Structure formats: structure tokens, C-alpha cells
């Protein structure tokens, strides 16, 4: 197996994801990273974002708006999607991991986790 080569561009993308709570799209990451790496392509940003997701260093979010968003916070947490302003917010809440046990009660397979998105109106839009 080939060891993964270090990439300054990938490191900058990861640093950007860790520095923001906006859950940016690949295009937003590209715009931000382009200041430091003017010759970077959008394709390179996509490849590196997908690499980070595949290696557990970022999450890809699909909140139903047809756009992929990314999150550098890999600690367990849930998200809220505002149907009006389209922002994605981290929710501060107690763990609901017991939902896996509830799901397992009526399912003969193996539950390994869950993804839950809450939606409605954010505090600014209500």
C-alpha cells in the first residue's frame, strides 16, 4: 500500500474546514483556498475534500438542498438546516446515541450509526 503524500493544498483545505462553522460548499472552500494557492483548480479542491472525508478527517453533509457541504468538526454532533436562509448550524445537545438501540430492536441487521438533520427556521429567521 502506498503511503499518502503530504500536500500543502490538502492541509490548507483541512485547516480552513477546521476554522469555520459555516459548513462550506466545495466552491466556497475553493474561493478561500485560492487566495493562498492561486493556481489550484476546483477539481483539486473536490479531490482533497473527498480524500479528507474518506479518511475520517471531514464530513460531507447532504441536507437536501442539492448541494454538498463539508464539516471539519469530526466530533459527534448534529446539524440544523434553516429552510429560509439555507444556513447549516451545529446543534449543541445531549447525545441521542441510544437511538441506535431503539432502531436495533426492530431490525435484524447491524446498526453502525445514524445521521440526523434537524430543519426549520433558525433563530435569525424565525
Amino acid at each position: 500500500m502506498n503511503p499518502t503524500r503530504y500536500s500543502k493544498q490538502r492541509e490548507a483545505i483541512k485547516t480552513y474546514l477546521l476554522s469555520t462553522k459555516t459548513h462550506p460548499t466545495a466552491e466556497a472552500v475553493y474561493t478561500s483556498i485560492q487566495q493562498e494557492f492561486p493556481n489550484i483548480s476546483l477539481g483539486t479542491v473536490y479531490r482533497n475534500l473527498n480524500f479528507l472525508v474518506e479518511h475520517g478527517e471531514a464530513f460531507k453533509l447532504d441536507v437536501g438542498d442539492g448541494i454538498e457541504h463539508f464539516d471539519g468538526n469530526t466530533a459527534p454532533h448534529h446539524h440544523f438546516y434553516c429552510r429560509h436562509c439555507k444556513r447549516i448550524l451545529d446543534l449543541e445537545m445531549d447525545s441521542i446515541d441510544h437511538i441506535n438501540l431503539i432502531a436495533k430492536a426492530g431490525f435484524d441487521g447491524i446498526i453502525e450509526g445514524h445521521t440526523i438533520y434537524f430543519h426549520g427556521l433558525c433563530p435569525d429567521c424565525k
Side-chain angles (χ1 to χ4, degrees):
M1 181 173 178
N2 293 337
T4 304
R5 288 185 10 195
Y6 174 80
S7 162
K8 289 181 185 178
Q9 294 171 336
R10 184 181 312 122
E11 193 63 32
I13 290 169
K14 182 179 175 181
T15 299
Y16 175 71
L17 286 179
L18 289 170
S19 74
T20 183
K21 290 190 173 270
T22 63
H23 306 90
T25 63
E27 290 79 7
V29 174
Y30 170 70
T31 300
S32 175
I33 298 303
Q34 201 174 27
Q35 295 169 9
E36 185 178 350
F37 298 96
N39 295 325
I40 195 169
S41 71
L42 182 57
T44 298
V45 170
Y46 269 107
R47 279 189 297 281
N48 280 290
L49 285 168
N50 286 321
F51 177 91
L52 293 171
V53 169
E54 289 169 9
H55 289 84
E57 298 181 58
F59 286 131
K60 187 183 300 186
L61 307 175
D62 177 1
V63 295
D65 63 352
I67 302 169
E68 292 178 336
H69 300 265
F70 296 87
D71 190 349
N73 177 5
T74 59
H77 66 286
H78 297 284
H79 296 95
F80 177 89
Y81 174 70
C82 180
R83 66 176 167 79
H84 184 260
C85 69
K86 313 300 185 205
R87 286 187 305 160
I88 301 170
L89 306 171
D90 290 336
L91 284 179
E92 301 293 329
M93 58 186 280
D94 291 337
S95 171
I96 57 172
D97 284 345
H98 64 280
I99 199 168
N100 292 344
L101 297 174
I102 295 169
K104 173 66 177 141
F107 180 66
D108 193 31
I110 298 171
I111 304 285
E112 294 180 338
H114 60 272
T115 302
I116 298 173
Y117 298 112
F118 296 88
H119 55 88
L121 295 172
C122 71
D124 293 338
C125 293
K126 73 176 185 179

